[in-house]
Structure formats: structure tokens, C-alpha cells
Amino acid sequence: MTAHPTAPRSRRERPAKPALTREGIIATTVELMRAEGLERVTMRRLAKELDTGPASLYVYVRNMAELHAAVLDELLGEVDLSPAGADGDWHDRLVRILTSYTSVLFEYPGLAQSALVARLFGKHYLNLVEALLALLDEGGIEPDRAAWLIDLLLQFATATAAEHAHRTPGDTPQSEDDWRALASVVRGVSPRTHPHIAALGPRLLSGSPQDRLAWGFDVLLAGARHTPLPEVLASSPADFPEDPAVASEASEVSEPSEPSEASEAKSRVDPGD
């Protein structure tokens, strides 16, 4: 008997694709990042994984920077905020939270570098900032100083993670070579031309990232107690008229509503991503 080829299935008979959502896009991005690395996550790769076109993704996230910020906020849900409500010295509890934050970034070097320039305002980021501010208040840090100090603490933690994320047992050969080259230069510097570097030598590169991180937090906290704020003369974004739409979104701490079909049809692919 002659076998008859199987007739192609009608589109109506195929199982329906899951509805595209912002939450689903972020969750899929996190999965891809963990499996393949952040550098492999592009809009085209993400669209393929979600069985859609890249244009559809831009309805939910404007660009890769916004996607990275959303993914980072999702991962900030892993930060241990329990010390905020625990007993014990406020300083030690604050450092424990900041160390947990840094540890999350250590796991994702590319994301740590992206976090240096990200503008975060998601719910997990707000929870982190609230916990840190509560502990600074408990420690007697003046509110105005705490408002600026929180930025320095998180910047320092983020920069440390971005710089040292590869200084782990899983170092790449390139990063190991870079550190060896730097150490070689420091050890071989001439006392005649660079006497202070020669005198300190290996101490300039000594200590683990964790030890340097904890010491840096101590320096910032001690300095904030004794350093008054300058007189603020220049305007800041906080001085600008409030955008009702942004204020509403921030107060609800919720994800944006699903876009209409019309808005999805107008989406465009950013060739830079």
C-alpha cells in the first residue's frame, strides 16, 4: 500500500500560544540568562523562545536597558531582607542586607555591570531601599544624610559586584590573566618613579572582595555620621513637577496594564537591540 502523506494541521487545530505578558517576558529572560548568560539574551533570541516576533516585545519593554532593569528587580526578590526586622546591632544587620544584595549580583556579572547605570523603581528595589532606610533611621543617621547615603551604599555594592564578579573559582581565563598582569605591574613598579606604590606593593591588591566590601560599608557609614551635606543649590529631578502617570504607577507598585491590540500593532523593532 502506498502511504499517504499526513495533511498539514490547520492553524485552528494547533494549540494556542500562551498570552504574551510582561511577567512572562521577564521570567523567560531570567531563565535564558541563567542558562546561557546575559550577553546571549537579545530581543531576537527572546522572541524565538517565546514563539513571537521581536516587535511584539517592544510593546512591553521599550529597550534592552528597561528589560535588564526589570530582570534585576525580579532578582532583587532573592535579597534577604529579614535582618531588617531581626534583633541585634543595626549596623551589622544593615551590612548583612547589603552583602546579600551584592551576592545576588555576584551570580550575574553582566547584570551587575548593567545595574551600574540602571534606573530601578520596581517593587523589590523599593522594598530593599525601605529596609535599608529603616535601619539607618534606627542607627540615628540624620534623614537628609540617609537619603544621600543610601545611593552611595548601593553604588559601592553594585560596583564591587561588577568589578569582582569573575574573581571566583569560576574565573574566565581572560579575567585571570588580567589580574595576573595587574599584580605583576604592581610588584615590578620602580621605587624611584612610584615610591608610594612600591612601598605598598601587594597590599594594594590584598584582601578578598568580601573583606573589602565590608570595610567599604564601614567607611561610608562612619563618614556619613561626620560629614554634613552641602548646601543644595542645583535642582534635581525630584524638584520637577510630578508626572501623574508615573506617580500613580509608583504608588501602586504594580506592573503596567496589558497593551491593546492597536498599540501592539504600532510597535517597532529597535535595530540597536
Side-chain angles (χ1 to χ4, degrees):
M1 297 180 63
T2 303
H4 295 284
T6 303
R9 296 176 63 184
S10 167
R11 292 177 64 108
R12 295 182 179 180
E13 296 176 355
R14 298 174 188 172
K17 293 189 298 184
L20 195 61
T21 65
R22 181 181 173 89
E23 293 84 355
I25 292 171
I26 294 171
T28 302
T29 304
V30 172
E31 291 175 3
L32 283 175
M33 182 183 65
R34 287 172 170 161
E36 304 178 9
L38 183 66
E39 66 279 359
R40 298 291 299 275
V41 180
T42 64
M43 287 298 192
R44 287 183 175 82
R45 176 69 182 87
L46 187 57
K48 181 179 179 181
E49 191 71 16
L50 291 166
D51 192 20
T52 188
S56 299
L57 302 181
Y58 286 92
V59 177
Y60 300 86
V61 288
R62 289 174 296 177
N63 47 45
M64 288 300 293
E66 182 177 317
L67 180 60
H68 287 178
V71 168
L72 178 57
D73 188 73
E74 182 71 17
L75 293 174
L76 290 185
E78 301 175 10
V79 176
D80 182 12
L81 301 181
S82 62
D87 296 327
D89 180 72
W90 71 271
H91 179 282
D92 293 341
R93 288 149 57 209
L94 179 78
V95 171
R96 283 165 56 193
I97 292 177
L98 288 167
T99 302
S100 177
Y101 165 78
T102 312
S103 296
V104 170
L105 294 183
F106 262 85
E107 296 295 322
Y108 309 100
L111 196 60
Q113 294 164 0
S114 177
L116 287 171
V117 295
R119 292 286 182 260
L120 303 179
F121 49 82
K123 62 181 180 180
H124 293 124
Y125 175 75
L126 294 179
N127 290 341
L128 170 64
V129 171
E130 179 66 22
L132 295 175
L133 288 174
L135 287 170
L136 291 175
D137 181 58
E138 183 179 332
I141 303 295
E142 294 182 9
D144 286 347
R145 298 185 189 186
W148 283 27
L149 176 59
I150 196 75
D151 190 39
L152 293 178
L153 290 169
L154 290 175
Q155 281 186 1
F156 174 64
T158 304
T160 299
E163 178 186 7
H164 295 285
H166 284 303
R167 295 181 66 187
T168 64
D171 265 358
T172 64
Q174 181 61 50
S175 62
E176 290 178 351
D177 290 344
D178 290 344
W179 280 107
R180 290 196 189 99
L182 176 59
S184 178
V185 170
V186 169
R187 286 194 300 267
V189 74
S190 169
R192 183 177 60 82
T193 57
H194 301 87
H196 292 90
I197 295 178
L200 291 174
R203 281 179 289 177
L204 290 170
L205 304 177
S206 64
S208 68
Q210 291 77 13
D211 291 337
R212 284 176 168 260
L213 183 71
W215 185 79
F217 290 144
D218 290 344
V219 170
L220 290 172
L221 289 166
R225 282 192 176 279
H226 304 288
T227 308
L229 291 183
E231 182 179 356
V232 179
L233 299 178
S235 61
S236 74
D239 299 322
F240 301 155
E242 187 176 47
D243 184 335
V246 174
S248 175
E249 180 178 347
S251 64
E252 295 174 4
V253 194
S254 61
E255 302 296 347
S257 59
E258 299 303 325
S260 65
E261 294 183 1
S263 64
E264 184 167 354
K266 293 181 179 179
S267 64
R268 298 179 179 176
V269 176
D270 185 343
D273 293 330

